[in-house]
Amino acid sequence: MIVRLTGQVDDVGLDGVMLDVQGVGYLLMVSTRTRAELPSKGETASLLTEMQIREDHWSLFGFIDRAERDWFRTLTTVQGVGGRVALAILSVLSPDHLTRAILAQDKASLARADGVGPKLAARLVTELKDKAAAHGLAPAAPTGTVMALPPVPTNLAGPAEDAISALVNLGYRRPEALIAVATAQRKLGDGMTVTDLIRAGLKEIAS
């Protein structure tokens, strides 16, 4: 099994990258996140890989880091999520944002990915809620310690949901807005107005 490839970037397309590994070209399908972090053509890149074997073809997927690869494996355990749909999800949500979206039961964020409709988004948040905890660690802090993601409420509604929608309308990504408003609500307590939460949410985003 191929678990990692290191070679020169030969070509980068919309949905994949070709690596030249000692004269052999490997085509890997990648997320937009991984593609954005690849070096220029001709430079050396190293990608973790995952292979899917079907009756009619083999597909090789590439990942810039372990967090993305691990989430790919978890996503593809859900019925209806193949490799391409998993990459589409990872293209709109980073591993940390995906973890928080699942924990928050944020179906709207998942549904932004190509190939994910309302029913599949609902299935994802339901089936992966328990598994998401295994992905709940942020990258190591500079001191070498590992920081856990802060808990995200699963019952945001009313003014909080309105504040999230307002931040999204201002151009912020929904996972970012959800986390900011959830954090603001924890700090301020219940009884805050939509305006209070929007203002506090903006401060959280800016901090």
Side-chain angles (χ1 to χ4, degrees):
M1 179 181 292
I2 301 172
V3 296
R4 181 194 295 271
L5 285 173
T6 299
Q8 289 186 330
V9 177
D10 186 70
D11 186 45
V12 179
L14 291 177
D15 62 350
V17 57
M18 182 180 289
L19 284 187
D20 185 332
V21 182
Q22 298 181 345
V24 178
Y26 291 87
L27 179 61
L28 299 92
M29 288 184 282
V30 299
S31 68
T32 56
R33 173 176 173 265
T34 288
R35 189 170 69 242
E37 296 191 30
L38 288 172
S40 302
K41 183 176 180 179
E43 295 184 7
T44 300
S46 183
L47 294 176
L48 298 173
T49 62
E50 188 79 6
M51 181 178 288
Q52 288 189 348
I53 301 176
R54 300 290 182 263
E55 293 182 0
D56 55 344
H57 69 280
W58 293 16
S59 297
L60 193 60
F61 299 87
F63 311 95
I64 198 67
D65 55 35
R66 186 182 299 248
E68 188 177 64
R69 185 205 60 189
D70 290 350
W71 255 121
F72 177 88
R73 290 175 173 175
T74 299
L75 287 167
T76 52
T77 64
V78 177
Q79 182 181 1
V81 179
R84 290 184 179 274
V85 172
L87 284 186
I89 295 171
L90 290 165
S91 291
V92 299
L93 293 170
S94 70
D96 278 353
H97 281 147
L98 179 54
T99 298
R100 298 185 188 208
I102 296 294
L103 292 175
Q105 302 287 281
D106 183 9
K107 297 184 287 292
S109 289
L110 290 164
R112 292 170 48 224
D114 290 339
V116 179
K119 290 184 179 179
L120 181 54
R123 187 183 309 144
L124 284 163
V125 298
T126 299
E127 294 187 16
L128 299 182
K129 185 175 181 180
D130 293 336
K131 295 181 180 180
H135 300 270
L137 295 177
T143 58
T145 59
V146 177
M147 298 176 63
L149 292 172
V152 180
T154 60
N155 59 346
L156 291 181
E161 181 59 39
D162 291 341
I164 293 168
S165 297
L167 292 178
V168 170
N169 290 336
L170 288 174
Y172 295 101
R173 292 162 60 93
R174 181 175 175 83
E176 184 179 25
L178 187 149
I179 294 165
V181 171
T183 302
Q185 190 176 54
R186 283 197 300 270
K187 290 180 177 179
L188 299 175
D190 296 330
M192 294 297 101
T193 66
V194 174
T195 302
D196 292 333
L197 289 172
I198 292 173
R199 185 180 297 112
L202 288 170
K203 289 181 179 179
E204 292 297 329
I205 292 173
S207 63

